[in-house]
């Protein structure tokens, strides 16, 4: 029992020879976010507050595909989306198609708390943001040179990518991108000292996505889900996560089939979706944590009150 | 068992004082759409084609809240959404924020079949529609006098209304017809998603499919998305079954209603009807909703905790039923 937290910065075909200058800043951010989350939990903040605050940090970091650092649509713009869910009440909030809101996850929370609705998108969401006085900036704030390069590559290869392929300066000899070359998305799940669960997920989506494309992240039950048993945040190929209703399935396996958190999550990741398409972080009501993925790697970190801490990208003991 | 089966719905949450003539109109429409589906099934059309064609017919008729006859946003415009799912490989397609596409369900199908994505919304969905050459009309096409009146009343009452298709004679009768606002998310707003439409089918080969389409809540905030386009919430289909929901969107989303029917069959090995009953009784908390479902073995089931649900169903062995209460 006790508090527990897990967070991710995306699952995908993260190459093992990822250069240090790309790996270290991300590891540092994961570490920093974990520390922030743990401190908040120790200070008895609610799980909902903790997941929001950690995801805000991840959104603000330009190295992950959310908020600043979001990947670009086929038009070279950003369209961000996020969702948040409170396990205790199953209240939830989601947003899509944001272009100027600095922290999508906070707007999702406001949708949950300040409107009679669950999900607002595009112009309506942007208008709501202004009504609520949340921080907005010019859209260029979110765009990084790396992502401009990624878009260029994706266009050249004429495909929709999910992040993490390296933006390279010279003509890339691109190995055919496997169906599962994907990542993107940040997320956090937590259980607080009162035993309440919560989850939050945020993303810029797919590189070169069609304008208006919505992924799994804002769809409650797929990319994000929490109830009294567990909290889940998924990452990977949105279209696969939607079909597999990943978030809800982890909880349903626990509830309807009596599986443990670890077994439920492993089942969903191994049997529920094609290889190379999904990863997730999850915590249970009894303070367990699990972070399975069927991709090459997943940026992730976790900590429990019992003292277990982990931070990594690939599998440490290759018993995958 | 086995054989095809089909169910259609035109929304859960019905005015107990709905005039008989309106009830008849609704039943006639449901019957007509059911028969369209039955003919298609008899011609061996696959489930995915049947659900699409039935929902198109429901969208094209102004009676229920989808396509023509959609509820209006706070701005007096129409923003439609829909989703479709093909059981065998769980392929899916969804659209939201559609304003000029005559049949949103067909656009959702094109997203599934012709785009690399599962869900397109707003200007992106409209742009895709243009590229695909689907039939497009002005937003006015979808707006009916009835709904303009309803919106006005909703604004005056400052709430989101039941979308009763009752003739408007004045505030008094509306006040009488609309029950006192039900709390949702702690706010005094009654949030029955009025008359979303849907269809679920299992064909002669045991393939299931589901489709749902709606204009959403009367007086909704522009940009509001409900359960209908959300896979797992308003719509779901897999090997075992096909499900389409209607009612309070927010409750359906939180309860991941459509997916749960299938999950109960899959993980708890409940029968179709048991799963439907479980979901309606246990997954809605204070929420109000209804759903229709079919199983791959040719069963059909429906459930609702509202006072009524416009629905119709039929199975290959000759069973047919159309009802409201």
């Amino acid at each position: 029992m006790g508090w527990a937290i897990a967070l991710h910065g995306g699952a995908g075909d993260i190459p093992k020879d990822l250069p240090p200058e790309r790996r270290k800043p991300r590891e540092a951010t994961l570490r920093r976010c974990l520390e922030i989350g743990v401190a908040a939990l120790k200070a008895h903040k609610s799980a909902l507050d903790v997941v929001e605050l950690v995801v805000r940090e991840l959104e603000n970091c330009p190295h992950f595909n959310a908020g600043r650092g979001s990947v670009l649509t086929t038009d070279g713009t950003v369209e961000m989306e996020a969702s948040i869910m409170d396990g205790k009440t199953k209240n939830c909030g989601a947003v899509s198609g944001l272009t100027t809101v600095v922290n999508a996850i906070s707007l999702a929370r406001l949708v949950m708390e300040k409107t009679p609705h669950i999900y607002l998108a595009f112009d309506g969401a942007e208008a709501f943001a202004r009504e609520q006085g949340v921080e907005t900036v010019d859209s260029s704030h979110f765009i990084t040179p790396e992502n401009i390069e990624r878009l260029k590559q994706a266009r050249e290869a004429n495909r929709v990518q999910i992040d993490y392929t390296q933006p390279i300066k010279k003509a890339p000899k691109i190995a055919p991108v496997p169906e599962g070359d994907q990542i993107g998305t940040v997320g956090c799940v937590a259980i607080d000292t009162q035993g309440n669960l919560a989850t939050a997920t945020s993303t810029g989506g797919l590189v070169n996505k069609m304008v208006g494309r919505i992924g799994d992240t804002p769809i409650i039950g797929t990319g994000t889900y929490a109830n009294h048993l567990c909290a889940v945040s998924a990452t990977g190929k949105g279209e696969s996560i939607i079909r597999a209703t990943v978030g809800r399935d982890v909880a349903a396996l626990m509830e309807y089939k009596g599986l443990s958190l670890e077994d439920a999550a492993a089942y969903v990741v191994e049997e529920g979706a094609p290889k190379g398409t999904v990863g997730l972080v999850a915590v249970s009501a009894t303070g367990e944590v699990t972070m399975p993925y069927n991709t090459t790697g997943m940026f992730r970190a976790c900590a429990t009150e019992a003292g277990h801490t982990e931070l990594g990208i690939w599998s440490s003991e290759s018993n995958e | 068992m086995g054989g095809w089966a089909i169910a259609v719905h035109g929304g859960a949450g019905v005015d107990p004082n709905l005039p008989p003539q309106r009830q008849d109109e609704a039943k006639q429409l449901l019957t007509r759409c059911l028969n369209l589906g039955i003919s298609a099934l008899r011609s061996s059309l696959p489930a995915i084609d049947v659900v699409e064609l039935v929902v198109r017919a429901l969208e094209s008729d102004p009676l229920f809240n989808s396509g023509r006859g959609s509820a209006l946003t706070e701005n007096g415009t129409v923003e439609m959404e829909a989703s479709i799912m093909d059981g065998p490989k769980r392929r899916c397609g969804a659209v939201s924020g559609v304003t000029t596409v005559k049949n949103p369900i067909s656009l959702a199908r094109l997203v599934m079949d012709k785009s690399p994505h599962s869900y397109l919304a707003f200007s992106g969905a409209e742009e895709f529609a243009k590229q695909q050459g689907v039939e497009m009309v002005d937003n006015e096409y979808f707006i009916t006098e009835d709904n303009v009146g309803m919106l006005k009343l909703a604004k005056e009452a400052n709430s989101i209304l039941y979308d009763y298709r009752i003739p408007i004679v004045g505030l008094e009768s509306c006040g009488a017809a609309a029950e006192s606002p039900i709390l949702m998310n702690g706010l005094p707003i009654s949030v029955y998603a009025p008359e979303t439409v849907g269809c679920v089918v299992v064909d002669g080969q045991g393939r299931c499919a589901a489709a749902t389409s709606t204009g959403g809540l009367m007086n909704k905030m522009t940009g509001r998305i409900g359960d209908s386009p959300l896979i797992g919430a308003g719509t779901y289909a897999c090997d075992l079954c096909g499900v389409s929901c209607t009612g309070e969107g927010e409750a359906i989303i939180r309860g991941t209603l459509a997916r749960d029917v299938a999950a109960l069959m899959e993980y708890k090995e409940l029968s179709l009807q048991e799963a439907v009953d479980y979901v309606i009784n246990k997954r809605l908390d204070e929420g109000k909703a209804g759903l229709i479902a079919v199983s791959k073995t040719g069963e059909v089931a429906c459930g609702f905790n509202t006072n009524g649900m416009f629905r119709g169903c039929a199975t290959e062995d000759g069973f047919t039923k159309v009802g409201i209460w």
Side-chain angles (χ1 to χ4, degrees):
Chain A
M1 301 293 289
W3 57 257
I5 179 173
L7 53 114
H8 70 76
D13 192 17
I14 306 165
K16 298 224 172 141
D17 56 358
L18 188 69
E21 66 269 18
R22 297 209 179 283
R23 183 171 46 84
K24 287 181 191 242
R26 288 174 173 126
E27 283 173 342
T29 299
L30 289 174
R31 190 165 292 116
R32 188 164 52 78
C33 290
L34 188 65
E35 280 162 17
I36 291 173
V38 168
L41 284 167
K42 284 179 171 164
H44 303 291
K45 288 251 179 301
S46 72
L48 199 60
D49 285 344
V50 173
V51 299
E52 182 192 357
L53 108 89
V54 168
V55 169
R56 281 176 67 95
E57 282 298 318
L58 290 163
E59 284 171 337
N60 294 342
C61 170
H63 303 298
F64 292 118
N65 174 18
R68 186 147 182 266
S70 282
V71 299
L72 308 179
T73 70
T74 195
D75 282 3
T77 53
V78 291
E79 284 178 3
M80 301 170 287
E81 49 196 17
S83 68
I84 190 164
M85 190 161 186
D86 176 10
K88 183 167 167 210
T89 57
K90 292 202 303 230
N91 286 340
C92 37
V95 288
S96 280
L98 298 180
T99 53
T100 67
V101 174
V102 174
N103 290 103
I105 196 62
S106 296
L107 191 67
R109 185 158 181 190
L110 287 169
V111 172
M112 175 173 83
E113 290 174 347
K114 299 281 167 71
T115 75
H117 301 319
I118 284 184
Y119 190 3
L120 288 180
F122 292 88
D123 290 351
E126 288 275 325
F128 176 66
R130 272 152 191 83
E131 266 172 52
Q132 294 292 313
V134 303
E135 198 185 349
T136 57
V137 291
D138 184 83
S139 204
S140 54
H141 159 89
F142 304 101
I143 300 178
T144 58
E146 265 192 24
N147 280 312
I148 294 177
E149 186 59 37
R150 283 201 182 96
L151 179 61
K152 185 156 168 288
Q153 266 185 266
R155 281 196 181 128
E156 277 159 13
N158 194 29
R159 64 176 189 271
V160 167
Q161 240 190 43
I162 306 165
D163 213 9
Y164 287 110
T165 41
Q166 298 307 295
I168 356 179
K169 311 300 180 231
K170 34 196 194 294
K173 111 179 116 76
I174 296 173
V177 179
E179 170 75 6
D181 175 16
Q182 49 209 243
I183 76 103
T185 308
V186 300
C188 180
V189 293
I191 177 169
D192 60 29
T193 51
Q194 310 294 304
N196 295 320
L197 291 150
T199 174
T201 316
S202 179
T203 191
L206 287 184
V207 174
N208 201 23
K209 65 182 178 178
M210 290 171 73
V211 168
R213 176 264 189 185
I214 293 176
D216 64 289
T217 294
I219 303 183
I220 299 296
T222 67
T224 302
Y225 187 76
N227 63 6
H228 62 287
L229 287 175
C230 67
V232 184
S233 172
T235 163
K237 185 165 184 224
E239 286 71 12
S240 300
I241 294 169
I242 291 172
R243 283 154 78 182
T245 51
V246 168
R248 175 55 187 144
D249 266 44
V250 172
L253 281 160
M254 293 180 74
E255 191 173 345
Y256 299 148
K257 223 169 158 140
L259 296 192
S260 68
L261 179 78
E262 193 177 344
D263 287 347
Y267 183 90
V268 169
V269 164
E270 282 157 30
E271 313 291 332
K275 187 147 177 60
T277 62
V278 67
L280 65 90
V281 296
V283 294
S284 72
T286 50
E288 302 155 287
V289 168
T290 185
M291 304 190 292
Y293 51 94
N294 69 11
T295 49
T296 306
M298 179 169 78
F299 289 100
R300 64 199 187 282
C302 69
T304 65
E305 187 167 3
H308 172 75
T309 306
E310 211 184 304
L311 189 148
I313 303 173
W314 303 281
S315 164
S316 36
E317 292 92 59
S318 19
N319 56 350
E320 197 71 24
Chain B
M1 292 232 75
W4 55 256
I6 175 172
V8 301
H9 73 74
V14 184
D15 172 14
N17 300 316
L18 190 66
Q21 163 214 350
R22 292 284 183 163
Q23 294 187 41
D24 285 341
E25 278 172 17
K27 289 204 272 201
Q28 277 164 36
L29 176 59
L30 289 166
T31 302
R32 183 161 64 78
C33 293
L34 199 62
N35 287 336
L36 273 171
I38 292 171
S39 301
L41 283 163
R42 290 194 176 131
S43 328
S44 304
L45 231 56
I48 189 74
D49 289 342
V50 180
V51 297
E52 184 190 355
L53 81 90
V54 170
V55 170
R56 280 177 67 94
L58 289 161
E59 284 172 338
S60 302
D61 193 291
L63 191 66
F64 294 129
N65 171 20
S66 69
R68 185 141 184 272
S70 280
L72 307 180
T73 69
E74 61 187 355
N75 299 332
T77 57
V78 162
E79 281 176 10
M80 300 167 289
E81 46 198 19
S83 64
I84 190 166
M85 193 160 185
D86 190 9
K89 294 196 171 132
R90 289 176 301 157
R91 296 181 315 127
C92 44
V95 290
S96 280
V98 168
T99 54
T100 61
V101 173
K102 192 151 179 254
N103 287 101
I105 196 63
S106 295
L107 189 63
R109 172 114 195 235
L110 286 167
V111 170
M112 176 174 82
D113 288 343
K114 299 278 166 72
S115 86
H117 301 317
S118 294
Y119 190 6
L120 289 179
F122 292 90
S123 62
E126 295 276 322
E127 186 53 43
F128 176 67
K130 280 202 195 82
Q131 286 166 19
Q132 293 291 314
V134 302
E135 196 179 350
M136 305 186 63
V137 294
D138 280 337
N139 199 247
E140 279 74 46
Y141 162 84
F142 304 102
I143 299 175
T144 59
E145 250 183 69
D146 267 3
N147 281 322
V148 171
M150 283 294 172
L151 180 63
K152 186 156 171 293
L153 292 171
K155 284 182 180 296
E156 279 160 7
N158 194 29
S159 69
I160 297 172
L161 254 200
Y162 279 87
D163 181 23
Y164 301 134
R165 303 283 169 176
I166 47 171
I168 296 133
V169 294
L171 258 182
E172 321 77 53
S173 64
C174 162
E179 290 172 17
S180 55
I182 292 168
L183 286 182
M184 211 268 320
N185 282 0
L187 296 170
I189 297 184
S190 73
V191 285
Y192 272 66
E195 300 171 356
T196 293
V197 302
C199 179
V200 293
V201 161
V202 56
D203 60 29
Q205 316 281 309
R207 294 172 296 208
C208 298
T212 314
S213 180
T214 190
L217 285 182
M218 187 66 72
N219 200 24
K220 66 183 178 180
M221 291 171 75
T222 179
R224 178 263 188 183
I225 292 177
D227 66 290
S228 299
L230 303 188
I231 297 298
T235 302
Y236 190 76
C238 61
D239 270 341
L240 292 176
C241 64
V243 186
S244 171
C245 306
T246 165
E248 286 177 3
E250 284 69 12
I252 294 168
I253 293 172
R254 291 168 66 237
T256 53
L257 235 58
R259 172 56 184 140
D260 264 51
V261 172
L264 283 160
M265 292 179 75
E266 199 173 334
Y267 300 146
K268 226 170 146 103
E269 293 174 24
L270 297 192
S271 70
L272 182 72
Q273 189 68 59
E274 285 170 341
V276 167
D277 291 341
Y278 186 107
V279 156
I280 294 294
N281 294 330
K282 303 210 169 133
R283 302 286 303 154
L284 283 171
D285 298 331
E286 309 301 314
K288 298 283 191 193
L291 63 91
I292 53 175
V294 288
S295 74
K296 74 171 186 196
T297 51
E299 300 156 292
V300 70
C302 68
F304 50 95
N305 68 356
T306 49
N307 60 338
M309 179 168 77
F310 295 104
R311 67 205 183 277
C313 58
T315 56
E316 190 166 1
D317 59 12
F319 170 75
T320 307
K321 181 176 175 203
V322 171
I324 299 177
W325 315 109

